[in-house]
Each structure stands twice: as C-alpha cells, then as structure tokens.
Amino acid sequence: MKNIQTITDQFFNRYDSFKEKSIIHRRFKHSDMLKVFEKIKSCEKFNFEFVGTSVLGRELNLISIGKGKTKIFLWSQMHGNESTATMALFDIFNFFSDTSSLKEIKETILNNLTLYFLPMVNPDGAELFQRENIFNLDINRDALALQTPEGRILMESFKKIEPVFSFNLHDQGVLYSAGDTGNPATLSFLAPAFNKEKSINTKRENSMRVIGALYKVLSKYIPGCIARYSDEFEPRAYGDIFQSMGSSTILIESGGSKNDTEKQFIRKLNFTAILSSFYMIAYKKYEKIDLSLYEEIPYNEEKLFNTVLRNLTFKENGGNFTADIGITTEEINSTGGAGFFQKSEIGGVGDLSTFYGYEEYRSEERRVGKGCRSGWSP
C-alpha cells in the first residue's frame, strides 16, 4: 500500500500540469467536448471511433489508447447533469498525451492495458443539463429494454470490448454524508451486485480490492469524506448488468465538497482515483489488497443540509419552543441549462441533533420580537 500511496501522491500533486484549462465549469456542452477532442486527436497514441449518435444526432466517440491484453472500459455522463468525471477524463487524455513526465508509469500502463473511454454518453441531456435524455428517459434504467440509442451504443461498445474492468462514472447529490457524520460523501464507491442475493465472486472481489485500496490512499486528501453506495441489485442499471456479464465493475460517484460548487477539486480526485486504478491493475497491485478495506468504508447516509440554524426559540400561542431548522438548496436550470439559480427551502424543523450542515449557525440567548432569536454564531 505504501508504494500505491507514493504513486497516487504523484498523480495528485502533478494534476495542474494536466488539467484541461478550457473546461472550468460543469455545464459545458457537447460542442465544447468536441473542441477538446480536436486537440487530443493530434496525439497519435489515441484512436477515435465513431460509434453512433444521440436522439438529436450528436456523435458519440469511443476513444482508446494502449496495447495491453487487459481491457478497461470507462463511460461518463449517462446522466446529462453529472459531468465531473467527464472533466477528469479530459485531464487524463492530457496526461497520456504528455511526453515529459512519469514516463515509466505511463509506459507500463499502456503496455499492459488497453483503455477505452466513452465520454458523455448522454450529450442531449448534457445540452440541457438534465439527468434524462431528450425523451426524458433515464439511460441508466435502460440496460434491459435498450430503448434509447445512447444506451444501445453503451451496450454494444461493452460487448465489443469485453473489458476485464469497467468504470461507471457518476455524480450524486451533495447532501449525502459519509456514514453518520457531518462530513459530505465527497466520493462514493461501489462494487455493484450482480444478483439479488448480493453474492461475491472473483470478479466482484477484484472490484472490491481496487476500491479498498482507493479508499485507503484517497483518505489522505479527504479524510472521513469517502462512502460506499448502496449495493441493492438493480437489473436495469448498466453497472449491475456489466458486473453480471463478467466485468469487474467500479462505480465512482462524485458528491459534495464545501466551497466547490463547480466540483473542480472533486474533478482532481477523480483524475487521481482513475489513474491510481490503472496503475494498480497494470502492476496487479490490487491482487494483494485485503477485502476488509472495502468493508471499512461507511455507507452513504442522508444526514446533511446545506445550512442548519440551531437552537431557535419560537413564541407561538402564548408558549415558547426551541427547534432547529434545516435548509436545502436546489439548483434550478436557467438559459437552457447553461446557467442556474438557487432555490432554498426548509427541509426540516425540530430536533436536528443527528443531522449536520455544510454551514451551521447557533442563535444567541437574546430574542427580538416574535419568531426566532437574533444574533448568530458559527
């Protein structure tokens, strides 16, 4: 594990050298991605294969690099408003395009692995920054019916590649906590189940070993902010289906981090996690990882509000009562999904002592007028 940590530190510390500077916010469009592709195409290491179009005719490309026997497949943004990992993939393309640093690691990865990327599976949804495709269908519930062209392209690509490992890249809500704590689940992982019994075979074990190692090394940067996603079997979801089809599948969910609205720090964590995974798989380091590390990861829990106001005193009907207020903030799309405004509402009132907030304020003892005490202290 010490060796893995050393390599992970190199990826993390050198990230700024590889960050795709043209993309600095989450709401980029398919046309922005194509501009990045034009730059990457100048590197002869990469192969671009047109694999189909979305409902509205936006092209999907399968990008590959490497010549190793072990095939790895990564796809992102099947939900159009979950773009963090797509940004990280741009950075990873820059990493492999670079010829000046970490040469030995890159050569070993590309000699032992062949990497396949399908970025932005749902470009029509990305255009509107919405979860579903243009038919308002959730592509990640289409693995059985295969009604969406985007879902069919994903399935066809998987069958063609026959990957040993698969990476299912998503974003989750920012109000999930890492277990019963006040810490946001900045990253959540899962080795998805392949049946209702949640059985464990060698393929799923391999997913768990890689995730266990990632939990250990990434905790250096986000201690207490890594969680485990629910492993209820969902036969309509691609990650679960691909696990059942024999590919060791790893789900990465990008959650929340304080003062990181555009998820640029979480983007860096994705970059670090994915490259560290490549390193572990290329060098077969994951085979020695104890499964107990995976079991140590706390589950996601919904324990967070954006803001909690504590110890408020209310005067109603001649009596007083004390309560906390939890406030949630939702992003509402504007200008066709290119921008947003925030809508806040009360999500909980009462004893919120078992909940936490990204921001918390406690009232002082003095009270002014009817309603709540005034004066706040963090």
Side-chain angles (χ1 to χ4, degrees):
M1 187 66 73
K2 183 178 179 181
N3 181 247
I4 297 173
Q5 185 71 67
T6 300
I7 300 299
T8 298
D9 287 343
Q10 292 188 62
F11 295 145
F12 185 83
N13 293 331
R14 300 191 188 194
Y15 169 74
D16 287 342
S17 300
F18 309 111
K19 182 176 181 179
E20 176 50 54
K21 302 298 195 297
S22 69
I23 305 292
I24 58 173
H25 60 82
R26 294 169 293 143
R27 293 169 179 264
F28 58 90
K29 308 298 184 184
H30 182 259
S31 58
D32 299 315
M33 182 176 71
L34 293 182
K35 292 176 184 177
V36 175
F37 286 177
E38 286 304 311
K39 183 179 70 172
I40 300 301
K41 285 179 180 178
S42 65
C43 176
E44 60 183 19
K45 297 178 186 176
F46 289 96
N47 179 63
F48 280 73
E49 179 185 355
F50 170 79
V51 288
T53 63
S54 66
V55 174
L56 295 182
R58 294 186 173 92
E59 66 181 62
L60 276 71
N61 289 277
L62 184 65
I63 304 165
S64 59
I65 186 172
K67 54 185 179 181
K69 292 182 179 179
T70 300
K71 297 178 180 180
I72 298 181
F73 181 37
L74 305 92
W75 67 97
S76 70
Q77 217 169 338
M78 62 163 45
H79 294 142
N81 59 352
E82 299 181 7
S83 59
T84 306
T86 306
M87 294 188 285
L89 295 185
F90 298 158
D91 307 329
I92 288 170
F93 297 157
N94 287 343
F95 172 82
F96 285 115
S97 298
D98 170 77
T99 58
S100 62
S101 61
L102 302 177
K103 290 183 179 180
E104 183 180 343
I105 294 173
K106 290 174 187 173
E107 288 176 1
T108 302
I109 290 174
L110 297 180
N111 286 334
N112 287 280
L113 309 178
T114 301
L115 309 173
Y116 295 86
F117 305 88
L118 188 59
M120 196 182 283
V121 174
N122 183 7
D124 298 344
E127 198 72 15
L128 301 173
F129 207 70
Q130 68 178 27
R131 177 182 176 90
E132 298 82 5
N133 77 347
I134 202 67
F135 289 151
N136 289 317
L137 292 175
D138 185 339
I139 295 173
N140 202 29
R141 296 296 179 267
D142 190 38
L144 293 179
L146 294 176
Q147 295 190 89
T148 62
E150 302 91 348
R152 289 194 294 271
I153 290 168
L154 178 58
M155 179 62 76
E156 290 163 5
S157 297
F158 175 86
K159 289 181 176 179
K160 176 182 177 181
I161 296 166
E162 297 183 338
V164 177
F165 280 88
S166 295
F167 284 77
N168 187 12
L169 306 173
H170 286 263
D171 286 61
Q172 66 178 12
V174 301
L175 299 183
Y176 285 102
S177 62
D180 185 15
T181 72
N183 299 326
T186 302
L187 289 179
S188 294
F189 295 96
L190 177 68
F194 58 86
N195 59 20
K196 290 182 179 180
E197 294 72 31
K198 304 180 186 179
S199 305
I200 298 176
N201 59 9
T202 301
K203 296 292 185 180
R204 193 176 182 207
E205 277 189 358
N206 289 340
S207 304
M208 292 175 171
R209 293 183 196 279
V210 172
I211 291 171
L214 291 175
Y215 171 61
K216 191 72 172 179
V217 296
L218 295 174
S219 290
K220 177 178 179 179
Y221 319 120
I222 47 171
C225 295
I226 298 175
R228 190 169 14 147
Y229 206 78
S230 170
D231 64 349
E232 294 298 321
F233 179 61
E234 174 49 82
R236 300 171 300 163
Y238 284 87
D240 303 57
I241 287 295
F242 290 170
Q243 188 85 276
S244 72
M245 293 171 71
S247 181
S248 296
T249 303
I250 294 168
L251 170 69
I252 302 179
E253 295 269 359
S254 297
S257 181
K258 190 173 181 179
N259 300 323
D260 189 23
T261 302
E262 292 304 323
K263 294 196 172 185
Q264 296 303 294
F265 176 63
I266 306 178
R267 167 186 182 173
K268 178 178 180 177
L269 292 171
N270 271 261
F271 170 89
T272 305
I274 293 168
L275 286 180
S276 297
S277 300
F278 293 165
Y279 168 79
M280 282 189 277
I281 296 168
Y283 285 85
K284 300 185 182 297
K285 296 285 185 180
Y286 69 92
E287 294 178 348
K288 299 179 181 179
I289 302 300
D290 197 303
L291 287 172
S292 64
L293 280 176
Y294 182 83
E295 298 300 328
E296 286 181 19
I297 307 173
Y299 279 105
N300 273 336
E301 294 198 30
E302 296 183 76
K303 291 287 187 177
L304 286 176
F305 291 98
N306 295 98
T307 305
V308 176
L309 309 178
R310 297 200 182 278
N311 198 37
L312 307 179
T313 297
F314 296 84
K315 185 177 181 180
E316 296 289 343
N317 298 322
N320 295 342
F321 68 93
T322 300
D324 306 322
I325 293 179
I327 299 171
T328 59
T329 302
E330 179 185 4
E331 287 187 4
I332 306 297
N333 285 340
S334 63
T335 58
F340 67 94
F341 63 90
Q342 293 184 325
K343 175 185 175 182
S344 295
E345 61 183 17
I346 294 175
V349 178
D351 178 6
L352 301 181
S353 59
T354 60
F355 290 83
Y356 311 90
Y358 278 90
E359 301 283 351
E360 294 199 7
Y361 301 90
R362 181 175 296 275
S363 70
E364 298 174 353
E365 288 301 317
R366 60 191 177 88
R367 183 171 68 248
V368 179
K370 183 178 179 179
C372 64
R373 293 171 177 169
S374 64
W376 300 99
S377 60

